[in-house]
């Protein structure tokens, strides 16, 4: 009699435990989402106001970048990516508050635009204006 | 005999509650998933020097632009007039300070992005950001 009682006490109720474990498993599988670190690059767009800008007043510091398919120009001169990075870093050190106009060809890839924006941010330049070349 | 009829009238409450809880959990979890639909089929460009966004403004409108120029918001595909309508009603409801995030495929031509930006600008929205995958530095 005593022996039988001991074996009964040692039994663990497996079925409800498995129930609970499955519940937890289903919950975590359903709520799992891979977190992708996403960066957001702020740009200024041309104002929807279509009045032509006054031609006489020119902002003091204007840095003009042009993105063509597979090519980047700074103030009209073509540069390699390495040189773009160095030039922007140099210009950013001089004045990081200068206005940057990024003229983008419609045939350029988004990847190139993001790369230029990224390099500008890295150089500390924050006044980025995106203009489309047609 | 009387005792037996009493027994048959009893309803098994416990398994019923189990099933009801299962259903509640299923609906709560699937409803929460509806809120942030992210288009994972897009291949975003890499941005090495910009840190990842930690907190997003809950009002943000995310517009996905595919390589072939197809545009969707929360996986719902839209034509340009539809997008214009959606953005205009957003401005009417929340004002023009609503942030816009453009998630563009890195192979997409800028022409496609420009079309969307034109519509965004036309609606009067100006807080525009271009999304990229944050790389390395944080």
């Amino acid at each position: 009699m005593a022996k039988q009682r001991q074996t009964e006490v040692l039994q663990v109720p497996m079925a409800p435990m498995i129930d609970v474990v499955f519940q937890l498993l289903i919950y975590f599988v359903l709520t799992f989402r891979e977190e992708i670190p996403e960066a957001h690059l702020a740009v200024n767009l041309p104002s929807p106001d279509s009045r032509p800008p006054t031609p006489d007043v020119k902002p003091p510091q204007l840095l003009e970048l042009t993105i063509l398919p597979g090519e980047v120009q700074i103030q009209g001169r073509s540069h390699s990516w390495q040189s773009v990075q160095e030039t922007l870093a140099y210009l950013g050190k001089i004045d990081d508050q200068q206005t940057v106009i990024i003229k983008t060809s419609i045939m350029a890839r988004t990847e190139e635009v993001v790369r230029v924006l990224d390099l500008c941010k890295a150089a500390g330049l924050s006044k980025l204006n995106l203009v489309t070349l047609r | 005999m009387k005792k037996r009829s009493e027994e048959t009238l009893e309803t098994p409450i416990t398994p019923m509650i189990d099933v009801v809880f299962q259903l509640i959990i299923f609906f709560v979890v699937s409803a929460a998933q509806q809120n942030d639909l992210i288009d994972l089929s897009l291949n975003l460009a890499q941005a090495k020097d910009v840190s990842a966004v930690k907190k997003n403004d809950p009002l943000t409108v995310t517009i996905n632009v595919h390589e072939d120029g197809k545009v969707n918001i929360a996986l719902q595909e839209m034509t340009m007039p539809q997008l214009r309508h959606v953005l205009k009603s957003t401005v009417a409801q929340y004002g023009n300070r609503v942030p816009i995030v453009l998630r563009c495929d890195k192979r997409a031509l800028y022409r496609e992005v420009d079309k969307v930006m034109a519509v965004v600008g036309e609606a009067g929205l100006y807080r525009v950001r271009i999304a990229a995958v944050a790389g390395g530095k944080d």
Side-chain angles (χ1 to χ4, degrees), chain A residues 30 39 41 108-110 118 132, chain B residues 33 48 107-108 110 114 130 132:
Chain A
L30 282 179
L41 301 138
R109 301 272 173 195
T110 315
D118 186 28
T132 311
Chain B
Q33 291 233 318
K48 284 183 228 102
R107 304 299 303 158
Y110 187 71
D114 179 56
I130 298 177

Side-chain angles (χ1 to χ4, degrees), chain A:
Chain A
M1 194 64 194
K3 201 185 170 193
Q4 210 199 334
R5 204 187 160 202
Q6 208 180 8
T7 49
E8 252 176 46
V9 172
L10 274 172
Q11 244 176 327
V12 186
M14 279 311 264
M17 216 187 252
I18 293 173
D19 281 357
V20 170
V21 169
F22 275 167
Q23 288 273 7
L24 290 174
L25 189 71
I26 289 172
Y27 176 78
F28 285 114
V29 165
L30 282 179
T31 54
F32 174 75
R33 167 158 301 149
E34 199 188 353
E35 198 72 24
I36 305 164
E38 217 168 76
H40 292 164
L41 301 138
V43 289
N44 295 331
L45 293 189
S47 138
D49 180 6
S50 55
R51 275 178 296 179
T54 44
D56 302 331
V57 191
K58 238 194 163 184
Q61 275 288 1
L62 259 189
L63 176 57
E64 199 179 296
L65 303 178
T66 313
I67 308 173
L68 301 171
E71 187 189 352
V72 181
Q73 297 177 351
I74 299 177
Q75 310 282 45
R77 282 185 50 220
S78 186
H79 284 256
S80 69
W81 282 111
Q82 180 65 29
S83 154
V84 169
Q85 184 177 3
E86 283 160 9
T87 313
L88 285 178
Y90 175 70
L91 292 169
K93 250 180 236 164
I94 297 172
D95 178 13
D96 59 5
Q97 290 304 307
Q98 63 187 314
T99 303
V100 184
I101 307 268
I102 303 170
K103 294 184 174 175
T104 311
S105 155
I106 54 168
M107 296 313 281
R109 301 272 173 195
T110 315
E111 195 177 13
E112 295 166 310
V113 181
V114 169
R115 199 163 170 187
V116 169
L117 290 173
D118 186 28
L119 290 175
C120 288
K121 288 277 155 85
L125 298 161
S126 55
K127 291 186 177 167
L128 309 177
N129 299 276
L130 214 46
V131 180
T132 311
L133 276 183
R134 278 168 221 281

